């Protein structure tokens, strides 16, 4: 099983930015835990603050033997028709992930251009949302 986690803008600031919302753990620290926990899964990680680079990564991974893509597009979730269209255009299934419960936050965060084209959506479980997304690919039931 080969899965890539693609994180969008400002997720490189995990552990520093708004720790009351996002926690104090960096994504690199958490990713090491994921790799240890899911030893039988080939996990990769990519982060960009640039919308076009995220779209390019989805294109690169969407046809090349990935069993799944876990996407936390950050604020682009609520603004990027281009990322939604990229997901529509690829064959690899995408699970949309958010650390916070976006429906418990500002109104503009209630809209997602990713949800309608994603295999599923996991939000509000902190970094554990990524665990749940990986498990969603492992449990084919």
């Amino acid at each position: 099983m080969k899965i890539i986690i693609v994180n969008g803008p400002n997720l490189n600031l995990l552990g520093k930015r708004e720790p009351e919302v996002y926690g104090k753990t960096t994504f690199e620290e958490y990713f090491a835990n994921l790799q240890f926990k899911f030893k039988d899964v080939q996990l990769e990680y990519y982060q960009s603050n640039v919308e076009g680079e995220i779209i390019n990564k989805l294109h690169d991974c969407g046809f090349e033997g990935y069993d799944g893509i876990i996407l936390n597009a950050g604020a682009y979730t609520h603004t990027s028709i281009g990322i939604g269209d990229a997901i529509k255009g690829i064959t690899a299934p995408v699970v949309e992930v958010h650390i916070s419960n976006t429906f418990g936050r500002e109104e503009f965060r209630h809209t997602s251009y990713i949800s309608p084209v994603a295999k599923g959506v996991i939000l509000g479980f902190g970094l554990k949302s990524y665990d749940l997304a990986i498990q969603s690919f492992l449990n084919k039931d």
Side-chain angles (χ1 to χ4, degrees):
M1 170 98 19
K2 185 176 178 182
I3 297 172
I4 186 167
I5 296 170
V6 177
N7 277 342
N10 300 311
L11 289 160
N12 57 307
L13 298 178
L14 286 175
K16 299 175 189 171
R17 174 186 172 222
E18 298 178 82
E20 67 282 359
V21 175
Y22 300 107
K24 295 181 181 178
T25 304
T26 68
F27 195 80
E28 290 73 16
E29 292 167 337
Y30 189 71
F31 185 69
N33 290 333
L34 288 175
Q35 289 177 305
F36 181 78
K37 182 175 182 180
F38 296 101
K39 291 178 183 160
D40 294 335
V41 178
Q42 183 181 340
L43 286 174
E44 295 178 23
Y45 168 57
Y46 176 81
Q47 188 277 328
S48 178
N49 293 316
V50 180
E51 181 180 18
E53 291 176 2
I54 294 167
I55 291 169
N56 287 341
K57 183 54 89 172
L58 291 169
H59 290 174
D60 291 345
C61 299
F63 302 102
E64 296 182 10
Y66 285 82
D67 297 294
I69 299 170
I70 297 168
L71 174 63
N72 183 342
Y76 288 138
T77 300
H78 321 293
T79 63
S80 180
I81 295 167
I83 291 175
D85 285 347
I87 294 166
K88 275 195 264 187
I90 61 177
T91 57
V94 174
V95 171
E96 177 184 356
V97 164
H98 297 283
I99 296 166
S100 68
N101 177 356
T102 56
F103 292 99
R105 299 184 65 196
E106 304 94 336
E107 178 97 16
F108 73 88
R109 295 185 196 276
H110 300 182
T111 299
S112 170
Y113 289 101
I114 295 166
S115 296
V117 293
K119 172 186 173 195
V121 180
I122 301 169
L123 54 90
F125 294 97
L127 290 173
K128 180 107 174 131
S129 296
Y130 293 94
D131 278 71
L132 297 170
I134 293 167
Q135 290 175 26
S136 77
F137 288 112
L138 298 176
N139 299 326
K140 302 275 186 189
D141 305 8

